[in-house]
């Protein structure tokens, strides 16, 4: 009986864990996209400010060629966004690990509550069986008293009958 309840609770818990993990993934993906967009916008803003402040077309071309040559084909914007993406992935991973740990703690609490409920149920079962045995014993005693009552009533009738029979005899004397 308890095993069925435990299995049902485990299935519900696993379903909730999957839902929570999916939700956490969705939240982290959305947050990462927002953060990536923000970082891209900031980098583009910085990059355009640098280009505007440095001067003309020739300085921009040299900056682009040197930044491309030193980073293995990637420009500064791509390197920063890769770094930011890595940071965001690490943050998402840690968030998911925290959510998983929280769920494990919830499982532990549920198992403790279930164990306490099982102990309470077994204690209640013992109390019910003890109460039933006391009731049976009392019923047996009541039955004995009922039998004694019938015997005493019969003895009283017999005594009353005998007294009625002896009453005329005692009056004659």
């Amino acid at each position: 009986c308890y095993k069925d309840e435990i299995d049902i609770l485990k299935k519900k818990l696993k379903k909730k864990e999957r839902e929570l993990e999916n939700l956490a993934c969705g939240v982290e993906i959305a947050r990462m996209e927002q953060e990536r967009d923000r970082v891209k916008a900031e980098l583009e803003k910085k990059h355009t400010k640098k280009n505007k402040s440095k001067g003309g077309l020739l300085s921009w071309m040299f900056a682009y060629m040197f930044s491309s040559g030193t980073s293995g084909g990637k420009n500064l914007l791509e390197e920063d966004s890769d770094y930011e993406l890595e940071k965001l992935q690490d943050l998402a991973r840690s968030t998911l690990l925290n959510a998983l740990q929280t769920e494990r703690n919830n499982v532990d609490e549920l198992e403790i509550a279930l164990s306490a409920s099982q102990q309470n149920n077994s204690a209640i079962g013992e109390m019910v069986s003890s109460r039933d045995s006391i009731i049976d014993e009392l019923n047996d005693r009541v039955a004995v008293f009922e039998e004694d009552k019938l015997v005493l009533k019969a003895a009283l009738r017999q005594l009353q009958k005998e007294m009625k029979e002896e009453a005329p005899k005692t009056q004659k004397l």
Side-chain angles (χ1 to χ4, degrees), residues 32-50 52 76-78 80-82 84 88:
M32 284 176 27
E33 288 173 356
Q34 288 176 348
E35 186 69 19
R36 186 186 66 222
D37 292 343
R38 185 187 62 79
V39 168
K40 271 186 178 181
E42 286 178 6
L43 289 174
E44 287 174 359
K45 195 176 188 182
K46 287 180 184 178
H47 187 65
T48 55
K49 283 183 181 180
K50 284 181 183 179
K52 286 181 181 177
L76 184 60
L77 179 63
E78 288 175 345
D80 285 343
S81 73
D82 288 346
E84 289 296 322
L88 293 173

Side-chain angles (χ1 to χ4, degrees), residues 18-36:
R18 283 191 300 267
E19 289 175 5
L20 183 62
E21 287 172 359
N22 289 339
L23 181 62
C25 287
V27 167
E28 284 302 312
I29 288 170
R31 194 175 56 73
M32 284 176 27
E33 288 173 356
Q34 288 176 348
E35 186 69 19
R36 186 186 66 222

Side-chain angles (χ1 to χ4, degrees), residues 85-121:
L85 182 62
E86 187 177 315
K87 280 179 39 180
L88 293 173
Q89 287 173 341
D90 288 341
L91 185 59
R93 193 175 301 116
S94 67
T95 302
L96 289 174
L97 288 174
N98 286 338
L100 181 61
Q101 185 61 40
T102 301
E103 283 305 309
R104 286 180 179 162
N105 291 339
N106 290 342
V107 168
D108 291 340
E109 289 174 9
L110 286 173
E111 287 175 348
I112 290 169
L114 181 62
S115 174
S117 295
Q118 288 173 341
Q119 289 175 351
N120 288 342
N121 286 343

Side-chain angles (χ1 to χ4, degrees), residues 2 6 26 48 50-51 70 87 91-92 108 117 120 126-127 134 158:
Y2 297 122
I6 291 172
T48 55
K50 284 181 183 179
N51 286 341
T70 59
K87 280 179 39 180
L91 185 59
D108 291 340
S117 295
N120 288 342
E126 291 172 4
M127 288 175 24
I134 290 172
Q158 183 64 31

